[in-house]
Amino acid sequence: MSTETPRRTRRREETTRLFAEIEQATSDEERDRLRDEVVVVNLELARTLAGRYRNRGVAVEDLEQVASLALVQAVRRFLPEPGRDFLSYAVPTIRGELRKHFRDLGWIVRPPRRIQENQSRVVAAFEHRTPEGEQRTAKDVADLLGISVEDVEEAMQAQGCFHASSLDLPVGPDSTTTVAESLVRSDDETEAAENRATLEPMIACLRERDRLILRMRYVEDWTQQEIADAIGVTQMQVSRLLRRILKDLRELAAAS
């Protein structure tokens, strides 16, 4: 039984009719007018697809513009054939342009291309639960996408790279010390400002726990064992976490 809504059915039928008229049109002017009508009929579809990417660090107005332009391109490139539906062509085209927009323009800090390409796939995979209704683990996502667990973790760490947190935010709920004050200890105000500008987007790309570990170790001067006790891991794990966090920061700095 079809689950298609009446609105979608009408849109599909109207689109099919307009493409049939385009095939019969006798002038370029008439074909362009009919193509414009196809765009108008399907504009809601483009906006809906753009809306699925909201709250990921890019203004929804920009996303809608990208989706609308992709719709125009799809209308102009589509070749009607028996049994070939326009929506089955337009939807992947629009999604592809939205993902390309994120990959090419949506990063404040630009990770390696491999991580950029994995990021949207990994986030989408985590949004869906397993067939048993459970939250997917990193291994579940890795197996589903055919990549390594390390690739999944790198992609998730890149989530924050679409937007940077303000350096004026406090380092904790009960603290009056700002992120900038906790990260930079320099008497040279010019140098401090440059360091803050460099660190801001890179720190924003770290997970919340990674930022906490950095603050405890290098701002509050906790020992590795004290950190381990606080977050419930071993001292050896803290040592490995610190090495990995510093490695991530160096890679982000090299890629920016």
Side-chain angles (χ1 to χ4, degrees):
M1 179 181 296
S2 174
T3 59
E4 189 171 273
T5 64
R7 177 180 294 181
R8 185 173 180 181
T9 299
R10 288 195 298 271
R11 181 170 62 211
R12 188 185 299 276
E13 292 174 347
E14 181 69 5
T15 299
T16 301
R17 181 187 66 79
L18 287 168
F19 272 114
E21 292 186 15
I22 291 172
E23 289 289 294
Q24 300 299 321
T26 57
S27 68
D28 290 341
E29 183 179 64
E30 185 179 3
R31 279 189 287 270
D32 287 341
R33 179 184 62 78
L34 291 168
R35 289 191 181 102
D36 288 344
E37 288 189 36
V38 175
V39 171
V40 172
V41 168
N42 290 279
L43 202 54
E44 181 184 355
L45 168 68
R47 289 171 177 162
T48 299
L49 292 172
R52 295 177 182 174
Y53 292 84
R54 68 172 63 243
N55 299 324
R56 296 192 186 182
V58 177
V60 69
E61 293 82 4
D62 292 344
L63 296 176
E64 289 181 350
Q65 184 177 32
V66 170
S68 299
L69 289 173
L71 172 62
V72 172
Q73 293 173 358
V75 170
R76 295 194 174 278
R77 295 173 182 172
F78 180 67
L79 298 175
E81 297 176 0
R84 191 184 189 202
D85 178 61
F86 172 69
L87 295 184
S88 65
Y89 172 78
V91 170
T93 299
I94 296 170
R95 284 178 178 162
E97 289 300 314
L98 286 166
R99 289 168 180 166
K100 180 181 177 182
H101 182 75
F102 273 96
R103 187 189 68 198
D104 294 343
L105 302 176
W107 303 89
I108 287 178
V109 173
R110 190 178 295 276
R113 176 57 62 89
R114 172 179 56 81
I115 297 177
Q116 294 180 40
E117 293 175 345
N118 284 338
Q119 197 268 344
S120 61
R121 299 169 60 216
V122 167
V123 170
F126 269 114
E127 289 176 351
H128 298 283
R129 295 183 175 272
T130 65
E132 294 75 26
E134 299 177 354
Q135 181 66 45
R136 281 178 173 158
T137 65
K139 187 176 186 308
D140 291 333
V141 172
D143 292 343
L144 180 67
L145 300 179
I147 59 179
S148 69
V149 173
E150 289 75 15
D151 286 339
V152 172
E153 292 175 346
E154 284 181 337
M156 292 305 295
Q157 289 171 22
Q159 270 194 283
C161 295
F162 286 116
H163 51 84
S165 300
S166 172
L167 286 177
D168 293 327
L169 291 175
V171 295
D174 301 320
S175 175
T176 58
T177 301
T178 67
V179 174
E181 292 169 341
S182 71
L183 291 172
V184 180
R185 299 287 180 88
S186 174
D187 295 332
D188 187 334
E189 293 184 1
T190 301
E191 181 181 353
E194 291 176 352
N195 289 339
R196 284 195 295 270
T198 301
L199 285 168
E200 176 180 3
M202 291 189 292
I203 295 297
C205 288
L206 298 178
R207 295 177 179 176
E208 182 177 354
R209 189 177 76 160
D210 290 349
R211 293 196 296 269
L212 173 64
I213 292 172
L214 279 180
R215 179 165 61 84
M216 288 190 294
R217 182 70 185 96
Y218 297 110
V219 178
E220 300 178 4
D221 202 25
W222 287 27
T223 67
Q224 291 186 9
Q225 188 59 58
E226 288 172 334
I227 297 172
D229 294 339
I231 65 176
V233 299
T234 67
Q235 182 271 330
M236 186 63 71
Q237 287 174 308
V238 170
S239 178
R240 287 199 295 266
L241 284 169
L242 283 168
R243 287 199 300 271
R244 193 262 302 158
I245 293 168
L246 295 176
K247 178 175 177 289
D248 289 345
L249 286 174
R250 286 193 295 269
E251 289 179 351
L252 287 171
S256 62

